[in-house]
Coordinates of all heavy atoms in Angstrom, one line a residue:
N28 N -68.9 -70.7 -37.8 CA -68.6 -71.7 -36.9 C -69.8 -72.7 -36.8 O -69.6 -74.0 -36.6 CB -68.3 -71.2 -35.5 CG -67.0 -70.5 -35.4 OD1 -66.0 -70.8 -36.2 ND2 -66.9 -69.5 -34.6
F29 N -71.0 -72.3 -36.9 CA -72.1 -73.1 -36.9 C -72.1 -74.1 -38.1 O -72.3 -75.3 -38.0 CB -73.4 -72.3 -37.0 CG -74.7 -73.0 -37.2 CD1 -75.3 -73.8 -36.3 CD2 -75.3 -73.0 -38.5 CE1 -76.5 -74.5 -36.5 CE2 -76.5 -73.7 -38.7 CZ -77.0 -74.4 -37.8
Q30 N -71.9 -73.5 -39.3 CA -71.8 -74.3 -40.5 C -70.6 -75.2 -40.5 O -70.6 -76.4 -40.9 CB -71.7 -73.4 -41.7 CG -71.6 -74.1 -43.1 CD -73.0 -74.6 -43.5 OE1 -73.9 -74.8 -42.7 NE2 -73.2 -74.7 -44.8
A31 N -69.4 -74.7 -40.0 CA -68.2 -75.5 -39.9 C -68.4 -76.8 -39.0 O -67.9 -77.8 -39.3 CB -67.0 -74.7 -39.4
A32 N -69.2 -76.6 -38.0 CA -69.5 -77.8 -37.1 C -70.2 -78.9 -37.8 O -70.0 -80.1 -37.5 CB -70.3 -77.3 -35.9
L33 N -70.9 -78.6 -38.9 CA -71.6 -79.6 -39.7 C -70.5 -80.4 -40.4 O -70.8 -81.6 -40.8 CB -72.6 -79.0 -40.7 CG -73.7 -78.2 -40.0 CD1 -74.6 -77.6 -41.1 CD2 -74.6 -79.1 -39.1
F34 N -69.4 -79.8 -40.6 CA -68.3 -80.5 -41.3 C -67.3 -81.1 -40.3 O -66.2 -81.5 -40.7 CB -67.5 -79.6 -42.3 CG -68.4 -79.1 -43.4 CD1 -69.1 -78.0 -43.3 CD2 -68.4 -79.9 -44.6 CE1 -69.9 -77.5 -44.4 CE2 -69.2 -79.4 -45.7 CZ -69.9 -78.3 -45.6
N35 N -67.6 -81.0 -39.0 CA -66.7 -81.3 -37.9 C -65.4 -80.5 -38.0 O -64.3 -81.1 -37.7 CB -66.4 -82.8 -38.0 CG -67.7 -83.7 -37.7 OD1 -68.5 -83.4 -36.8 ND2 -67.9 -84.7 -38.5
K36 N -65.5 -79.3 -38.3 CA -64.4 -78.4 -38.4 C -64.6 -77.2 -37.4 O -65.7 -76.8 -37.1 CB -64.2 -77.8 -39.8 CG -64.0 -78.9 -40.9 CD -62.7 -79.6 -40.8 CE -62.5 -80.5 -42.0 NZ -61.1 -81.1 -42.1
K37 N -63.5 -76.7 -37.0 CA -63.6 -75.5 -36.1 C -62.8 -74.3 -36.5 O -62.9 -73.2 -35.9 CB -63.3 -75.9 -34.6 CG -64.3 -76.8 -34.0 CD -64.0 -77.1 -32.5 CE -65.0 -78.0 -31.9 NZ -64.7 -78.3 -30.5
A38 N -61.9 -74.5 -37.5 CA -61.0 -73.4 -37.9 C -61.8 -72.2 -38.5 O -62.8 -72.5 -39.2 CB -60.0 -74.0 -38.9
F39 N -61.4 -71.0 -38.1 CA -62.1 -69.8 -38.5 C -61.1 -69.0 -39.4 O -60.1 -68.5 -38.9 CB -62.6 -69.0 -37.3 CG -63.3 -67.8 -37.7 CD1 -64.3 -67.7 -38.6 CD2 -62.8 -66.6 -37.2 CE1 -64.9 -66.5 -39.0 CE2 -63.4 -65.4 -37.5 CZ -64.5 -65.4 -38.4
N40 N -61.4 -68.8 -40.6 CA -60.6 -68.1 -41.5 C -61.0 -66.6 -41.5 O -61.7 -66.1 -42.3 CB -60.7 -68.6 -43.0 CG -59.6 -68.1 -43.9 OD1 -59.1 -67.0 -43.7 ND2 -59.3 -68.9 -45.0
L41 N -60.4 -65.9 -40.6 CA -60.8 -64.5 -40.4 C -60.4 -63.6 -41.6 O -61.1 -62.7 -42.0 CB -60.1 -63.9 -39.2 CG -60.4 -62.4 -38.8 CD1 -61.9 -62.2 -38.6 CD2 -59.6 -62.0 -37.6
A42 N -59.2 -63.9 -42.2 CA -58.7 -63.1 -43.3 C -59.7 -63.2 -44.5 O -60.0 -62.2 -45.1 CB -57.3 -63.5 -43.7
K43 N -60.1 -64.4 -44.8 CA -61.0 -64.6 -45.9 C -62.4 -63.9 -45.6 O -63.0 -63.4 -46.5 CB -61.2 -66.1 -46.1 CG -62.0 -66.5 -47.4 CD -61.4 -66.1 -48.6 CE -62.2 -66.5 -49.9 NZ -62.1 -68.0 -50.0
L44 N -62.8 -64.0 -44.4 CA -64.1 -63.4 -44.0 C -64.0 -61.9 -44.2 O -65.0 -61.3 -44.7 CB -64.5 -63.8 -42.6 CG -65.8 -63.2 -42.1 CD1 -67.0 -63.7 -42.9 CD2 -66.0 -63.6 -40.6
V45 N -63.0 -61.3 -43.7 CA -62.8 -59.8 -43.8 C -62.8 -59.4 -45.3 O -63.4 -58.4 -45.6 CB -61.5 -59.4 -43.1 CG1 -61.2 -57.9 -43.4 CG2 -61.6 -59.6 -41.6
Q46 N -62.1 -60.2 -46.1 CA -62.1 -59.9 -47.5 C -63.5 -59.9 -48.1 O -63.8 -58.9 -48.9 CB -61.2 -60.9 -48.3 CG -61.1 -60.7 -49.8 CD -60.3 -61.8 -50.4 OE1 -59.7 -62.6 -49.8 NE2 -60.4 -61.8 -51.8
N47 N -64.3 -60.8 -47.8 CA -65.7 -60.9 -48.3 C -66.5 -59.8 -47.7 O -67.4 -59.2 -48.3 CB -66.3 -62.3 -47.9 CG -65.8 -63.3 -48.9 OD1 -66.5 -63.6 -49.9 ND2 -64.7 -64.0 -48.6
I48 N -66.3 -59.5 -46.4 CA -67.1 -58.5 -45.7 C -66.9 -57.1 -46.3 O -67.8 -56.3 -46.5 CB -66.9 -58.5 -44.2 CG1 -67.6 -59.7 -43.6 CG2 -67.3 -57.2 -43.6 CD1 -67.3 -59.8 -42.1
T49 N -65.7 -56.8 -46.7 CA -65.3 -55.4 -47.2 C -66.2 -55.1 -48.3 O -66.8 -54.0 -48.4 CB -63.9 -55.4 -47.5 OG1 -63.0 -55.7 -46.4 CG2 -63.4 -54.0 -48.1
T50 N -66.3 -56.0 -49.3 CA -67.2 -55.7 -50.5 C -68.6 -55.6 -50.1 O -69.3 -54.7 -50.6 CB -67.0 -56.9 -51.5 OG1 -65.6 -57.0 -51.9 CG2 -67.8 -56.6 -52.7
A51 N -69.1 -56.5 -49.3 CA -70.5 -56.5 -48.9 C -70.9 -55.2 -48.1 O -71.9 -54.5 -48.4 CB -70.9 -57.6 -48.0
V52 N -70.0 -54.7 -47.2 CA -70.2 -53.5 -46.4 C -70.3 -52.3 -47.3 O -71.1 -51.4 -47.1 CB -69.1 -53.4 -45.3 CG1 -69.1 -52.0 -44.8 CG2 -69.4 -54.4 -44.2
E53 N -69.3 -52.2 -48.2 CA -69.3 -51.0 -49.1 C -70.6 -50.8 -49.9 O -71.1 -49.8 -49.9 CB -68.1 -51.2 -50.0 CG -67.8 -49.9 -50.9 CD -67.1 -48.8 -50.1 OE1 -66.5 -49.1 -49.1 OE2 -67.2 -47.7 -50.6
S54 N -71.0 -51.9 -50.4 CA -72.2 -51.9 -51.2 C -73.5 -51.6 -50.4 O -74.3 -50.7 -50.7 CB -72.5 -53.2 -51.9 OG -73.7 -53.3 -52.6
R55 N -73.6 -52.2 -49.2 CA -74.8 -52.1 -48.4 C -74.9 -50.7 -47.7 O -75.9 -50.1 -47.7 CB -74.8 -53.1 -47.3 CG -76.0 -53.1 -46.4 CD -77.2 -53.4 -47.2 NE -78.4 -53.3 -46.3 CZ -79.5 -52.6 -46.6 NH1 -79.6 -52.1 -47.8 NH2 -80.5 -52.6 -45.8
A56 N -73.7 -50.2 -47.3 CA -73.7 -48.8 -46.6 C -74.1 -47.7 -47.6 O -74.9 -46.8 -47.3 CB -72.3 -48.5 -46.1
K57 N -73.6 -47.8 -48.9 CA -74.0 -46.8 -49.9 C -75.5 -46.9 -50.2 O -76.1 -45.9 -50.4 CB -73.2 -47.1 -51.1 CG -71.7 -46.7 -51.0 CD -70.9 -46.9 -52.3 CE -69.5 -46.4 -52.2 NZ -68.7 -46.7 -53.4
S58 N -76.0 -48.2 -50.2 CA -77.4 -48.4 -50.4 C -78.3 -47.7 -49.4 O -79.3 -47.1 -49.7 CB -77.7 -49.9 -50.6 OG -79.1 -50.1 -50.8
I59 N -77.9 -47.9 -48.1 CA -78.6 -47.3 -47.0 C -78.7 -45.8 -47.1 O -79.7 -45.1 -47.0 CB -78.0 -47.7 -45.7 CG1 -78.3 -49.2 -45.4 CG2 -78.6 -46.8 -44.5 CD1 -77.6 -49.7 -44.2

């Protein structure tokens, strides 16, 4: 939302974020 404000946008794409987070979380948790 902070970055989107720089584009004068407020829409939050939760589905796309969740998709990106799933990959990041899997990798990071295994690393820990």
Side-chain angles (χ1 to χ4, degrees):
N28 289 329
F29 168 75
Q30 181 80 334
L33 300 178
F34 294 91
N35 295 316
K36 304 284 187 179
K37 291 186 178 179
F39 176 56
N40 191 334
L41 180 61
K43 185 67 176 290
L44 180 61
V45 169
Q46 179 184 349
N47 281 266
I48 281 176
T49 299
T50 302
V52 162
E53 188 75 22
S54 173
R55 182 64 184 134
K57 288 180 178 178
S58 176
I59 290 173

